[in-house]
Amino acid sequence: MTQPPSSPPPERGLFVAFEGGDGAGKSTQVRLLVTALTAAGRSVVVTRQPGGTPLGAEIRRLVMHGGHVSPRAEALLYAADKAHHVDELIRPTLARGIDVITDRYTDSSVAYQGAGRDLGPQEIHDLLDWAVGGLFPDLTIVVDVPAAVGRARRGTVHDRIEAEGDDFHERVRAHFLDLAAAAPERYLVLDGTAAAAALHIRVLQRLRVEGVAG
């Protein structure tokens, strides 16, 4: 008996990460991009790190709203979140042909723990490369604002990371920009002080996704 031809596997979904300092405006750009992709008929899953899974939500509570966590323990907890997140959500979703848009990914740990905590960006990168099994975004969008601007936007309520001083956040900012400068083909840097609508147009122009106007 002749077997019917099997369906070809779905095309891998688009994987986009938004990075940048606290208060930069990442969440707004995530929302605008998801709206545009969905309007174009694409299936999209939106997530964040830490916190994109039940385990990640617990890790987020510990490292951002709990008591003191040593810098190395903090880095390892973030790595655990990413490893679980990729295995349980991101990689399976992409394999089904569904786009994944994440608010933060590995670069945040490299910048915050590697540069901000002074643990060594290369050491943190190597740890995260292993944790996520070499899965990196098709495009990483860095929404850049000076530390003082981010602090003003956040107001008076801060989590444990946001409460760090401007010198810490400027080290983080500088490392995001260094990462983008080293691999411009994989990054888009946006001036987060500009109008959100104008930044969104730049994102769409860079992605050039079929059916999505930019």
Side-chain angles (χ1 to χ4, degrees):
M1 180 177 178
T2 303
Q3 295 293 326
S6 59
S7 300
E11 181 181 351
R12 178 187 177 278
L14 179 70
F15 185 20
V16 178
F18 282 85
E19 299 279 15
D22 297 293
K26 300 184 307 304
S27 297
T28 298
Q29 293 305 315
V30 167
R31 175 177 52 79
L32 291 171
L33 177 57
V34 170
T35 298
L37 292 172
T38 303
R42 299 178 69 92
S43 297
V44 186
V45 167
V46 186
T47 190
R48 67 176 182 174
Q49 290 190 348
T53 65
L55 175 63
E58 185 63 18
I59 291 173
R60 184 182 186 91
R61 184 190 66 79
L62 287 170
V63 298
M64 301 179 74
H65 302 289
H68 172 71
V69 179
S70 74
R72 289 182 182 276
E74 182 180 274
L76 290 168
L77 285 167
Y78 278 126
D81 166 66
K82 289 167 174 55
H84 186 73
H85 195 187
V86 165
D87 288 346
E88 296 297 315
L89 190 150
I90 296 177
R91 200 183 294 274
T93 301
L94 293 173
R96 296 198 303 272
I98 299 171
D99 299 338
V100 174
I101 312 300
T102 183
D103 186 339
R104 299 201 181 281
Y105 193 57
T106 57
D107 285 349
S108 278
S109 288
V110 174
Y112 278 84
Q113 281 72 56
R117 298 291 191 212
D118 201 24
L119 293 177
Q122 188 60 51
E123 287 82 352
I124 300 300
H125 176 273
D126 292 345
L127 170 66
L128 294 172
D129 188 2
W130 177 82
V132 303
L135 179 64
F136 292 100
D138 300 304
L139 178 66
T140 297
I141 299 163
V142 177
V143 187
D144 175 55
V145 295
V149 172
R151 174 167 42 78
R153 288 179 175 178
R154 294 193 303 272
T156 58
V157 179
H158 305 286
D159 62 38
R160 201 171 58 83
I161 306 297
E162 292 171 342
E164 295 286 348
D166 282 358
D167 57 340
F168 172 90
H169 289 285
E170 281 297 344
R171 290 197 302 274
V172 170
R173 178 195 183 198
H175 200 73
F176 277 129
L177 296 177
D178 287 346
L179 288 169
E185 72 282 359
R186 295 195 299 108
Y187 288 83
L188 171 65
V189 178
L190 302 176
D191 179 357
T193 64
L199 300 184
H200 175 56
I201 290 173
R202 288 197 59 200
V203 171
L204 297 184
Q205 289 172 338
R206 176 63 181 270
L207 285 173
R208 298 179 183 175
V209 178
E210 183 176 352
V212 181

